[in-house]
Amino acid sequence: MRVSHILNLGMKELRSLARDPMLLILIVYSFTLAIYTAATAMPETLNKAPVAIVDEDRSPLSARIIGAFYPPSFISPVLITPAEMDARMDAGLDTFALDIPPNFQQDVLAGRRPTIQLNVDATRMSQAFTGSGYIQQIVSGEVNGFVQRYRAAQTLPVDLALRARFNPELNKGWFGAVIQVINQVTMLSIILTGAALIREREHGTIEHLLVMPVTPFEIMTGKVWSMALVVLTACAFSLTFVVQGLLAVPIEGSVALFLAGAALNLFATTSLGIFLGTIARSMPQFGMLLILVMVPLQMLSGGTTPRESMPDLVQTLMLAAPTTHFVTLAQAILYRGAGLDVVWPQFAALAVIAVILFSLSLARFRKSISDMT
């Protein structure tokens, strides 16, 4: 092995990438506009949910409840009749339909605990789940406030002090921006290395390399370090200017430590890209393989949903994926300000997985070259 060969082969890959406008556009888009749109398009807890109300009581209390629904959480409620309630929900006009029964205020003041009917269109899952809880809180709050005008206020024996750590604004955009950076690092590293290998096979330049005094290890290492460098540079730019600058997401921990973890993750994912590139015979095949690999890596690594909520078998299997450990260390560093003393197990796991993937990919790459010769 000669270091000069690896450096020159890597520079060749960088020049080849610079002459590919589509891949350059993909890199720029993935680390700028894609991250910005993913962060700003994250749905709020509840936003402009359509609600209809059947007011059969027509009392001051029912009017108070109706007036409690206002933008931006809800669209101003539409007053409808009982006959219209089911028809409007079947037509998809309302997500929530609240039916206030007759004599509701009278029964409340008499202590009879009346029941209010709430119909929810559960096909709109994001709004249905959180919105039903919002409506329960609104109705309970308005009823309690109304009743306290006529009864002595009750003091609760416990005062709950709520403190939201690491994201005090409960802003989902903060979460979405960082997770999108993590996803783009994984996706682009696999795409760039796999595409570089397939492009050489399609253009016939791989045969030129085989007659040169270079080894398969040097060829593969040149592709790995060059593509990893491109993705790492784009990641640092995006984290600084898009996440921290444009989106104003606070970063609690060391960016340098995060980039060190990203470099280890890139060592593993670029090797995985080489492995997929040796299996696929064309770019369409590589794209299909990429879908099969990227969906589990993104959905089951803990970035989208907590790993604790997954089946035990899935949690165990995903320990072999580099993204699982990368998501864990990235969230710990960027969100919670963790240091190396906290995330060193993830660094060690990434190093082991990267070495294994590189070895498997190198063996597969050597086999594919020997088949060509």
Side-chain angles (χ1 to χ4, degrees):
M1 183 191 70
R2 296 182 61 179
V3 176
S4 61
H5 289 171
I6 296 175
L7 292 176
N8 290 329
L9 288 170
M11 295 301 297
K12 176 190 73 68
E13 295 297 334
L14 294 177
R15 288 192 294 268
S16 178
L17 177 63
R19 292 191 295 267
D20 194 329
M22 295 306 299
L23 284 180
L24 291 177
I25 293 174
L26 177 62
I27 294 171
V28 173
Y29 169 80
S30 299
F31 283 101
T32 54
L33 188 59
I35 293 174
Y36 179 81
T37 54
T40 55
M42 290 286 289
E44 297 294 335
T45 306
L46 194 66
N47 186 44
K48 295 183 179 180
V51 57
I53 298 179
V54 179
D55 187 5
E56 299 184 78
D57 188 34
R58 299 186 181 277
S59 63
L61 177 55
S62 64
R64 180 169 178 161
I65 293 175
I66 294 171
F69 294 90
Y70 48 82
S73 296
F74 297 93
I75 298 175
S76 298
V78 178
L79 296 179
I80 61 175
T81 63
E84 297 176 302
M85 185 165 60
D86 290 339
R88 286 179 59 88
M89 185 158 289
D90 292 342
L93 299 177
D94 302 320
T95 302
F96 306 99
L98 188 68
D99 187 359
I100 303 176
N103 303 320
F104 177 70
Q105 175 178 311
Q106 180 179 343
D107 292 340
V108 167
L109 294 177
R112 298 193 184 98
R113 302 180 64 84
T115 301
I116 291 182
Q117 179 181 344
L118 175 63
N119 292 345
V120 182
D121 182 1
T123 60
R124 302 176 179 179
M125 290 186 58
S126 61
Q127 290 189 337
F129 179 74
T130 57
S132 57
Y134 267 51
I135 293 177
Q136 293 179 41
Q137 294 178 6
I138 289 173
V139 173
S140 299
E142 295 301 325
V143 170
N144 291 336
F146 182 82
V147 169
Q148 287 177 5
R149 297 172 56 188
Y150 299 92
R151 299 177 183 171
Q154 296 181 354
T155 303
L156 295 178
V158 177
D159 184 17
L160 178 63
L162 178 62
R163 297 175 181 174
R165 297 190 62 189
F166 313 122
N167 189 356
E169 296 182 6
L170 300 179
N171 189 339
K172 291 188 176 182
W174 293 7
F175 171 82
V178 174
I179 291 301
Q180 191 66 16
V181 170
I182 295 172
N183 291 338
Q184 297 300 336
V185 166
T186 302
M187 183 183 70
L188 263 296
S189 59
I190 296 176
I191 290 178
L192 293 181
T193 49
L197 180 59
I198 295 175
R199 183 173 56 241
E200 285 195 338
R201 186 187 300 124
E202 291 178 343
H203 294 173
T205 55
I206 189 70
E207 286 83 359
H208 297 168
L209 292 176
L210 296 180
V211 299
M212 296 176 63
V214 292
T215 64
F217 177 85
E218 293 170 348
I219 297 174
M220 179 174 165
T221 306
K223 296 181 183 298
V224 166
W225 81 256
S226 58
M227 297 300 103
L229 178 62
V230 170
V231 177
L232 190 64
T233 303
C235 173
F237 173 87
S238 179
L239 198 63
T240 303
F241 295 100
V242 178
V243 177
Q244 291 183 284
L246 188 59
L247 295 172
V249 177
I251 300 300
E252 298 295 335
S254 170
V255 175
L257 184 61
F258 165 75
L259 292 178
L264 273 178
N265 179 71
L266 286 169
F267 182 27
T269 52
T270 50
S271 301
L272 179 58
I274 295 290
F275 185 85
L276 296 179
T278 58
I279 297 176
R281 295 302 175 185
S282 63
M283 285 302 295
Q285 288 185 4
F286 179 72
M288 296 299 294
L289 284 175
L290 183 65
I291 294 175
L292 296 176
V293 172
M294 283 303 302
V295 172
L297 288 181
Q298 291 187 356
M299 298 297 294
L300 304 179
S301 61
T304 304
T305 56
R307 296 187 65 249
E308 293 77 13
S309 63
M310 303 176 190
D312 293 338
L313 178 61
V314 174
Q315 295 186 42
T316 303
L317 291 176
M318 287 305 295
L319 289 176
T323 51
T324 300
H325 308 283
F326 182 45
V327 168
T328 301
L329 72 87
Q331 291 180 339
I333 295 171
L334 299 180
Y335 290 149
R336 298 185 288 273
L340 185 60
D341 58 325
V342 175
V343 297
W344 70 264
Q346 286 73 42
F347 273 79
L350 275 176
V352 172
I353 294 173
V355 170
I356 293 175
L357 284 177
F358 185 86
S359 302
L360 293 175
S361 301
L362 181 59
R364 176 71 189 181
F365 184 55
R366 282 173 173 161
K367 183 178 184 302
S368 64
I369 288 179
S370 63
D371 293 340
M372 294 177 60
T373 55

